[in-house]
Amino acid sequence: MSLFFAAALGCSYVYLRRKDPRMLRNGLVLVAACWFAAVGALDVLSQWFPWTSWITLALFALTPLAIVVLAGFLISNGATMMRHEGRSLGNLLSLIAGVALLGLPAVALLLVTTLNPVAIGMAALLFFLCSYFGVVFVVFLAYAVVYGRMKHSTTPDAVVILGSQIINGKVPPLLRSRLDKGIEVYHAVPSAAAPLLIPSGGQGADEAMPEGVAMAEYLVAAGIPGEHVAAEDQAVNTAQNLQLSTVVARAHGRTGAMVVVTNNYHVLRAALLSRKLGLDAQVVGSPTARYFLPSAFLREFVAILQEHRKLHVFMCLPFLALTGLLTAAIVLVSQ
């Protein structure tokens, strides 16, 4: 039965991906399909080779150790981020996540050992919420990786390169990676249909010039003809990058499909935003330093939670109701 569900979900995923790959529910269907496929495969193996059941049990038994190892990795990565990128909240996310992975189970255990019904209910609620957001994160991360590796067949009329902070008027390595990817996309299109390159980004309080202008200078210096570059220099966030770049593209007579370029960790959220804005666009990612990825993906995850906060609050309501029922049942039993 599990393999049947896996096959059905796999077919659904293929259909949804062809319909529009810029949908987070595609990731949910994909992860569910993989889960049922794994369960079905383990079931078949246990029937053919009974000893494989012990391997499955061993894997479950090692789960706490895996959590400790993951927590240690995140804490170590957080320390690396502080050394290389500073102590901003965004750079501390992997450290915070690692500490939470170690601390939350200990808090839940302490609550349970009090034998207080309300405390036990709080421990149960903590378990439910951690499980829910853990699953949501797995779905996000899995589909972010899958979407980032997709090969898009779009022939772009314009290539929008999302900006990020410039330093002393110069393009730093992270932004240079995006620009080089944009140049790669540009050269992949036949010269007769060369797309318009639109570097997009406004000027921050600590920046010497708008990001879009500095990026345009880099593109021209790299050999892109000036008439194929049009800077967008007002945007202050990803949504504005997409909206204002669309205005620039249309002003230059480019009304067809767009390819948006950003770093690989940011690809899925940019794709979701482009769909929400009704744009005919696909998003491609450029490489990012490995040490930067854990905090970057966590930051993207938090941003997506924020953008869909009403949905997640609604999804958590049953957990609150179940916690209330559980607490009431414990009170009745203890009387």
Side-chain angles (χ1 to χ4, degrees), residues 245-326:
S245 294
T246 301
V247 174
V248 172
R250 289 173 179 168
H252 285 75
R254 306 301 183 107
T255 58
M258 295 192 303
V259 165
V260 179
V261 180
T262 185
N263 283 87
N264 48 11
Y265 63 83
H266 188 227
V267 163
L268 182 57
R269 188 160 72 91
L272 296 176
L273 278 171
S274 72
R275 182 177 184 274
K276 182 178 179 180
L277 295 170
L279 304 180
D280 181 9
Q282 295 297 341
V283 186
V284 298
S286 63
T288 307
R290 290 185 179 180
Y291 76 86
F292 196 83
L293 289 175
S295 286
F297 273 117
L298 285 168
R299 187 164 61 245
E300 292 296 300
F301 176 61
V302 171
I304 286 179
L305 290 181
Q306 173 67 17
E307 290 164 4
H308 299 85
R309 56 188 177 276
K310 291 183 180 179
L311 171 63
H312 293 296
V313 168
F314 176 77
M315 294 296 292
C316 289
L317 291 179
F319 301 136
L320 292 172
L322 186 58
T323 300
L325 291 173
L326 178 62

Side-chain angles (χ1 to χ4, degrees), residues 1 100 131 151 154 198 213 234 293 302:
M1 185 61 71
S131 299
K151 301 297 183 183
T154 302
I198 306 176
V213 173
Q234 300 297 317
L293 289 175
V302 171

